[in-house]
Amino acid sequence: MEHLQSKLVSQMVIEMNLQGPPFAALVLLHPLNGSHRIIPNAVVRSKGDKMTYFGHELSKCKDYSSINYRLPFEKGYLVDWDAQKAVWDGIFSSEVLAIDTAMSSLLITEPYFNLPNLQEVYDQFVFEEYEFQSYHRCTPASLIPYGSLFKQPDLPPAECVIVVDSGFSYTHVVPLLNGKVIWNAVKRLDVGGKLLTNQLKELVSFRQWNMMDETYIMNDVKESCCYVSQNFRNDLETCRMNPKSNPIVQEYILPDLTTNRRGRIRQPNDIVAEADQILVMNNERFSVPELLFRPDDIGLDQSGLAATIAQSISLITSDLQGMFWANIGLVGGCTKFPGFRARLTFELQSFAPIDCEVAIYECDEPIIEAYKAAATFASLPGFTNHVVTRAEYAESGSNASRRKFHDWKPREVEKEKPREPTKAKWKQREDDRSQAPNRATKTRNKANSASTATTRRR
């Protein structure tokens, strides 16, 4: 990063589990030149060239057909630490960042409502595996006030804001008061980019081509063709009246793997060869993003996004609710759909009180908005007051993180005691199995205890 914490310590920002290609991704801030780069957070196996790619290596892949993904994140939480380590090893190597982690400070985002056991593994990973000098861990929404999403000229920063974070696994509605998350009012909608891509794969496979194994291609189709309808019933009737020729229908030319030509939307002057495969996108263009506003269309027993935002605001003190209605910000890849903001504004107006103004803010790059805010936060002189150092972790363990990082689940800090060197949790499984007593041992112990008790009674 351009701003150095000191002459010897560089800072690095990693935002995790954002909506990237058809998988969660990492966005990195280079510690020296200040540039950013989006890295696929996955271990990828291509059936075409029979190669395995770790994170940043996916750009070398030439055959994107039938790609298999091993994702560190499942259902929003980091569960595959071996895959995550493989991706991080490549990131810290000379091919990407080329940094010495022992002389670096790290800012990393974590999922909302992250489990305490997973938070401890985060600490172990950062300090025991990579030996970072210090690090800060927080949720993406808590960084947004440091960015430019809500900034307006000649006005002070907004104190009451709501961040709608629609990413890879879920869509979260996160209210913040003076930069701090109001956790009892945070709401989650179980619709994200992964679900939308899978839904599009099923629709296209049922109606046209079998695309169930083509996640990478169908994600590009979703991002290129889909939009949020402003009048779902009218658009649906338009597509039904004339399925092959209407203002909505769009043709997508599938990629040609023999010439390494990428897929694209067919333009009026395009000349289509006989070998080209055409994917006709009709009502799929708007019926897939509609799940964000009508999740019950596929059987999810949840309210739509507008109702979820209204429920979140209703849990806040009534005196402040008007300010939250006037400061709603959009981040995350799913908010990039054309028409998303207009549709959400229209639906929110029916939920908002008459005397409240509904104002929605959006940015040019919602995918990396949290990353840019994190970079600003890391460059502040007071950032060092928010980090946990390697020395603090060596003395107090994860208790140091619980004291410094604002968590969704307040709990008492355990009584401090000198830490003994321990193996990381992901390395203890085999040792635990070998040390576990077998059934015969347990039986002998039980018999010995019984005989001792009988002797004492006598």
Side-chain angles (χ1 to χ4, degrees):
M1 215 177 85
E2 290 181 358
H3 171 82
L4 298 181
Q5 185 176 337
S6 67
K7 293 183 179 180
L8 298 177
V9 181
S10 61
Q11 296 174 342
M12 182 176 59
V13 177
I14 300 182
E15 187 193 353
M16 304 185 63
N17 199 30
L18 58 87
Q19 170 66 22
F23 34 70
L26 306 171
V27 58
L28 309 174
L29 177 65
H30 197 283
L32 297 179
N33 58 29
S35 62
H36 74 270
R37 179 177 175 183
I38 295 179
I39 302 292
N41 193 18
V43 178
V44 181
R45 174 72 176 176
S46 173
K47 293 183 179 179
D49 54 16
K50 308 297 183 183
M51 295 290 291
T52 300
Y53 302 95
F54 297 93
H56 69 284
E57 298 175 344
L58 185 59
S59 58
K60 303 176 184 177
C61 180
K62 297 181 179 180
D63 188 349
Y64 291 97
S65 62
S66 301
I67 288 181
N68 290 329
Y69 301 98
R70 180 180 173 185
L71 304 177
F73 276 83
E74 290 292 341
K75 297 184 178 180
Y77 294 100
L78 181 51
V79 294
D80 191 340
W81 293 94
D82 293 330
Q84 189 64 81
K85 184 179 183 302
V87 175
W88 282 14
D89 286 345
I91 289 173
F92 302 143
S93 69
S94 58
E95 296 183 17
V96 184
L97 292 179
I99 63 167
D100 180 7
T101 56
M103 299 299 296
S104 302
S105 179
L106 173 70
L107 192 160
I108 187 171
T109 61
E110 65 176 344
Y112 303 97
F113 300 107
N114 199 13
L115 301 177
N117 289 343
L118 293 181
Q119 291 175 334
E120 292 179 4
V121 183
Y122 272 79
D123 298 340
Q124 294 175 3
F125 230 57
V126 169
F127 288 118
E128 298 182 20
E129 186 68 24
Y130 292 103
E131 298 182 345
F132 274 94
Q133 189 173 82
S134 63
Y135 98 118
H136 179 78
R137 186 186 70 238
C138 62
T139 59
S142 62
L143 296 168
I144 296 299
Y146 295 98
S148 59
L149 180 60
F150 293 100
K151 286 187 177 179
Q152 298 185 52
D154 302 327
L155 290 177
E159 298 178 352
C160 303
V161 300
I162 280 192
V163 176
V164 178
D165 187 354
S166 187
F168 177 69
S169 299
Y170 301 115
T171 297
H172 285 89
V173 178
V174 186
L176 295 101
L177 178 60
N178 292 325
K180 296 183 179 180
V181 177
I182 307 176
W183 285 107
N184 67 306
V186 176
K187 293 293 182 181
R188 188 184 81 182
L189 180 63
D190 295 343
V191 179
K194 181 179 179 181
L195 185 144
L196 299 183
T197 300
N198 290 339
Q199 177 68 9
L200 182 59
K201 285 195 301 184
E202 292 184 8
L203 289 176
V204 171
S205 299
F206 179 75
R207 297 174 181 178
Q208 299 180 62
W209 304 94
N210 182 8
M211 305 294 288
M212 291 303 296
D213 294 332
E214 307 296 345
T215 304
Y216 191 93
I217 296 174
M218 291 311 300
N219 187 78
D220 185 64
V221 174
K222 179 192 72 175
E223 295 179 351
S224 303
C225 301
C226 289
Y227 70 95
V228 175
S229 172
Q230 305 305 308
N231 193 322
F232 184 77
R233 290 187 178 181
N234 286 355
D235 288 352
L236 199 62
E237 185 64 19
T238 300
C239 294
R240 188 188 69 83
M241 294 295 294
N242 193 351
K244 295 184 179 180
S245 178
N246 60 67
I248 296 175
V249 69
Q250 201 172 57
E251 293 183 345
Y252 183 90
I253 303 176
L254 294 174
D256 186 354
L257 302 178
T258 60
T259 60
N260 291 328
R261 189 198 66 195
R262 302 182 66 88
R264 68 188 191 279
I265 298 175
R266 182 180 180 182
Q267 302 300 327
N269 56 350
D270 277 352
I271 299 176
V272 180
E274 293 182 2
D276 287 339
Q277 295 177 318
I278 305 297
L279 183 64
V280 180
M281 294 290 291
N282 199 8
N283 61 22
E284 299 91 350
R285 293 187 63 198
F286 57 86
S287 61
V288 170
E290 185 70 15
L291 299 180
L292 289 163
F293 300 89
R294 297 291 181 271
D296 55 343
D297 285 353
I298 57 172
L300 288 178
D301 188 17
Q302 287 187 305
S303 304
L305 181 56
T308 303
I309 294 174
Q311 292 171 9
S312 176
I313 295 178
S314 67
L315 297 174
I316 302 171
T317 305
S318 58
D319 296 341
L320 303 176
Q321 291 182 8
M323 289 184 283
F324 282 98
W325 282 107
N327 294 285
I328 301 174
L330 305 178
V331 298
C334 292
T335 65
K336 292 184 67 176
F337 288 119
F340 184 94
R341 179 188 179 187
R343 170 71 177 276
L344 183 60
T345 303
F346 175 76
E347 292 200 359
L348 284 177
Q349 288 173 346
S350 62
F351 289 99
I354 299 177
D355 57 342
C356 291
E357 176 190 2
V358 177
I360 298 180
Y361 297 85
E362 59 182 355
C363 50
D364 297 332
E365 298 178 295
I367 292 179
I368 62 172
E369 177 61 27
Y371 143 77
K372 292 192 292 185
T376 302
F377 174 50
S379 66
L380 296 177
F383 175 70
T384 54
N385 298 327
H386 298 276
V387 301
V388 171
T389 64
R390 189 165 61 224
E392 291 174 338
Y393 177 78
E395 179 181 354
S396 305
S398 292
N399 284 330
S401 298
R402 298 187 190 105
R403 287 194 298 265
K404 281 284 183 73
F405 307 149
H406 297 290
D407 195 12
W408 64 275
K409 185 181 180 183
R411 62 180 184 179
E412 296 181 359
V413 179
E414 299 175 2
K415 186 177 180 180
E416 293 186 10
K417 56 183 179 181
R419 282 188 82 246
E420 297 180 359
T422 57
K423 289 185 179 180
K425 292 184 178 180
W426 66 89
K427 295 181 179 178
Q428 289 181 340
R429 296 173 183 171
E430 295 183 1
D431 295 343
D432 292 343
R433 292 195 192 100
S434 62
Q435 295 175 5
N438 56 30
R439 184 177 298 178
T441 304
K442 291 181 179 179
T443 304
R444 287 196 298 269
N445 293 339
K446 186 175 181 180
N448 292 337
S449 299
S451 61
T452 303
T454 304
T455 303
R456 290 175 180 173
R457 284 197 296 268
R458 289 177 182 175

